[in-house]
């Protein structure tokens, strides 16, 4: 008789929460018939200021097979939470999951920009990414460096040596699923190597909470500014001069206004 699932859930609390969140979001997407273009991330939507899509695209899955594949791989990679004795563990998992979501999204948009601006490949303006695969590939890569003796189990049927799993999975998904985002998966792998080699590091509770706070702020403001969702308590007014926009929080008769002093001698890019 196998080990009860309850014990795995207790030992992988962060992984369990992420799997639950992604599953609930998938159910809502199916229930409300939401299309991938409404939640996915593309170059054009990023340029238009839809920064909130960096989060919704990572947590959304359109098909049940896509969800099952990603969550099965993520569940196996949740072993990171059980490796506190080698400097990993639940806190490490949460800290660098935030980094993987944001940095892999920024990197893939940067790659799209290079291909569009340098090589005039306009096709990548419309490519829309959806799914948690970037983060999954990132954790595959981190685990392959930190714990190369580990195995990646998929669906409880297929077991891959973790040291080769990132590139094996990259090739496998590109062949089996033609719509799979090769550049998106590659971005996750590159960010994973940057984290595991110490090029991106220093995360602790303070920096993780600070980063989470900024993610929430950018998420809410970009939702409001792009018109995707109307927050009645928040008003953003664009000014005609070069100063920053004024921001008002409306409620209880109080108004907070942030106005900026025009900059001089500075090139704003």
């Amino acid at each position: 008789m196998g080990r009860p699932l309850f014990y795995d859930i207790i030992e992988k609390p962060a992984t369990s929460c992420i799997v639950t969140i992604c599953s609930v979001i998938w159910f809502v997407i199916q229930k409300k018939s939401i299309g991938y273009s409404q939640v996915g991330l593309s170059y054009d939507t990023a340029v238009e200021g839809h920064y909130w899509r960096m989060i919704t695209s990572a947590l959304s899955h359109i098909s049940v097979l896509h969800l099952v594949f990603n969550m099965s791989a993520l569940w196996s990679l949740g072993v990171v939470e059980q490796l506190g004795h080698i400097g990993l563990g639940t806190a490490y998992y949460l800290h660098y999951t935030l980094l993987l979501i944001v940095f892999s999204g920024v990197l893939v948009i940067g790659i799209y920009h290079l291909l569009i601006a340098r090589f005039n490949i306009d096709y990548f303006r419309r490519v829309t990414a959806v799914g948690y695969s970037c983060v999954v590939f990132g954790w595959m890569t981190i685990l392959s460096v930190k714990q190369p003796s580990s195995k990646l189990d998929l669906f409880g049927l297929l077991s891959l040596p973790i040291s080769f799993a990132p590139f094996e999975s990259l090739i496998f998904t590109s062949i089996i699923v033609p719509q799979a985002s090769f550049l998106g998966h590659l971005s996750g792998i590159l960010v994973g190597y940057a984290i595991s080699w110490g090029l991106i590091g220093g995360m602790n509770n303070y920096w993780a909470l600070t980063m989470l706070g900024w993610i929430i702020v950018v998420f809410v403001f970009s939702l409001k500014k792009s018109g995707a969702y109307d927050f009645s308590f928040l008003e953003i007014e664009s000014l005609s001069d070069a100063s920053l926009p004024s921001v008002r929080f409306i409620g209880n008769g109080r108004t907070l206004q942030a106005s900026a002093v025009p900059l001089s001698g500075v090139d704003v890019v």
Side-chain angles (χ1 to χ4, degrees):
M1 186 173 179
R3 186 186 186 191
L5 179 62
F6 173 78
Y7 292 104
D8 286 330
I9 293 173
I10 294 299
E11 292 179 359
K12 302 177 182 178
T15 305
S16 301
C17 287
I18 293 171
V19 170
T20 301
I21 289 169
C22 289
S23 300
V24 169
I25 290 174
W26 173 83
F27 178 79
V28 172
I29 285 174
Q30 298 302 310
K31 190 74 173 176
K32 295 185 176 295
S33 300
I34 298 172
Y36 71 92
S37 61
Q38 295 172 267
V39 293
L41 178 68
S42 68
Y43 180 81
D44 280 346
T45 55
V47 170
E48 290 168 3
H50 294 217
Y51 306 128
W52 53 271
R53 290 175 179 266
M54 205 164 288
I55 306 301
T56 60
S57 65
L59 299 177
S60 301
H61 297 80
I62 302 304
S63 73
V64 66
L65 288 178
H66 189 200
L67 175 71
V68 170
F69 182 85
N70 278 351
M71 295 303 101
S72 175
L74 184 66
W75 184 256
S76 179
L77 293 166
V79 70
V80 170
E81 295 192 68
Q82 302 168 322
L83 298 175
H85 60 283
I86 63 169
L88 302 181
T90 300
Y92 181 96
Y93 183 85
L94 287 171
H95 295 167
Y96 288 98
T97 290
L98 276 178
L99 279 180
L100 282 167
I101 290 174
V102 175
F103 280 40
S104 59
V106 170
L107 181 58
V108 75
I109 293 299
I111 294 173
Y112 287 164
H113 177 75
L114 177 65
L115 292 171
I116 294 166
R118 183 67 179 85
F119 299 100
N120 297 318
I121 308 177
D122 282 345
Y123 163 77
F124 288 102
R125 288 185 178 277
R126 300 175 298 277
V127 175
T128 302
V130 180
Y132 205 69
S133 303
C134 288
V135 182
V136 169
F137 274 81
W139 279 118
M140 279 186 204
T141 305
I142 293 170
L143 201 57
S144 72
V145 174
K146 300 286 189 179
Q147 189 78 354
S149 60
S150 298
K151 298 282 187 180
L152 175 66
D153 295 317
L154 297 176
F155 310 109
L157 301 173
L158 180 63
S159 182
L160 300 174
I162 197 66
S163 54
F164 301 108
F167 292 102
E168 285 179 344
S169 300
L170 181 64
I171 295 170
F172 176 78
T173 53
S174 298
I175 294 173
I176 301 300
V177 187
Q179 294 89 354
S181 175
F182 179 88
L183 292 178
H185 296 168
L186 182 61
S187 295
I189 291 174
L190 293 176
V191 176
Y193 275 124
I195 291 172
S196 56
W197 290 341
L199 301 178
I200 303 175
M203 286 292 286
N204 53 35
N205 289 337
Y206 171 79
W207 288 114
L209 288 173
T210 300
M211 186 174 185
L212 179 61
W214 278 110
I215 288 172
I216 293 172
V217 169
V218 172
F219 185 88
V220 171
F221 272 77
S222 62
L223 267 176
K224 173 72 175 183
K225 191 172 182 179
S226 65
Y229 190 85
D230 182 25
F231 293 95
S232 57
F233 65 88
L234 181 63
E235 182 179 325
I236 303 175
E237 296 179 358
S238 297
L239 302 182
S240 57
D241 58 19
S243 62
L244 294 176
S246 65
V247 179
R248 290 191 176 93
F249 294 91
I250 304 171
N252 299 327
R254 299 179 181 179
T255 299
L256 172 63
Q257 180 171 338
S259 58
V261 178
L263 300 175
S264 60
V266 178
D267 290 332
V268 180
V269 180

